[in-house]
Amino acid sequence: MTDTFPGFDPADLAFLTGLAAHNDRDWFAAHRGTYDARLKPALAALIAATSAACEARGLPLAGDPKKSVFRIHRDTRFSRDKRPYKTHVSATLTRDGAKMSPGMIYIHIEPEGGSRPGFDPDAIDPLDPSTHPSEAAGAEDGPFGKGPFAAAGFYLDERPDIDAMRRAIVAHPARWAAVEAALARAGLALGPGDPVKRMPKGFEAQAGGPLDTTLKRTRWLVTRPLTGPEIASPDLPDTLAAFAADTRPLLDFGWSALGRSG
């Protein structure tokens, strides 16, 4: 579909595998030519091409080839894990183009099978959802560190936004059920969502009811694994746009709940 995104060359992705094995500044400096000349331009091209593919499908999702990209440098100030670099490249597409706006498509690129050994739940970058201990990120069945994937939905940090989503679900249970049914038809399911243990204040009447699990979530996200051939293909923007289209019912519901539709 696009002449601007060439696909991620497996030889270039080997840089990330090497970085996982030699996560230090000297190795990065000696090999960063691949990152600067190959991986960064490929990710920028992917953002532009996926934005165009989403626009062609009538999806209000876009990213900026520079501003929508997460830094490869980790924030180690509050972590026991002092490895200086992430071993993946990643970006988001959002409704207004801002990197962390609610209702996003998150794109996570690393070699198939994963590029880093294990996951330290203290190794958190506040701006990078892939480094947060949500969605069972440190568990064996979590998607992080296992290979490339895309995620979509609402990664919410502010309690007013989380409760707005909950209120919308309580107010429109049939519409929410339709969202879950649409995701199921597309072969998608909401992740655990970093749930709280007790029913949140103001929603106690829903405890034990059909919405119990949904209302205890603090994130509403679905994940789609990507294969090595998919991320190496120039058709990856269409693959991501198709995934975004499958998640449109969830995105529309959340945008409406947060007053960001229209």
Side-chain angles (χ1 to χ4, degrees), residues 208-227:
L211 297 177
D212 185 286
T213 299
T214 297
L215 296 176
K216 287 180 180 176
R217 287 189 176 96
T218 56
R219 328 284 192 205
W220 289 266
L221 295 165
V222 294
T223 301
R224 181 202 188 281
L226 298 169
T227 66

Side-chain angles (χ1 to χ4, degrees), residues 1-5 45-63 93 105 107 234-246 248:
M1 177 259 179
T2 175
D3 295 327
T4 60
F5 173 69
L46 176 62
I47 294 168
T50 305
S51 297
C54 286
E55 182 179 11
R57 290 174 177 264
L59 298 167
L61 290 164
L93 276 67
I105 301 296
I107 306 166
D235 295 328
L236 180 59
D238 282 331
T239 299
L240 294 170
F243 169 66
D246 286 340
R248 181 71 185 267

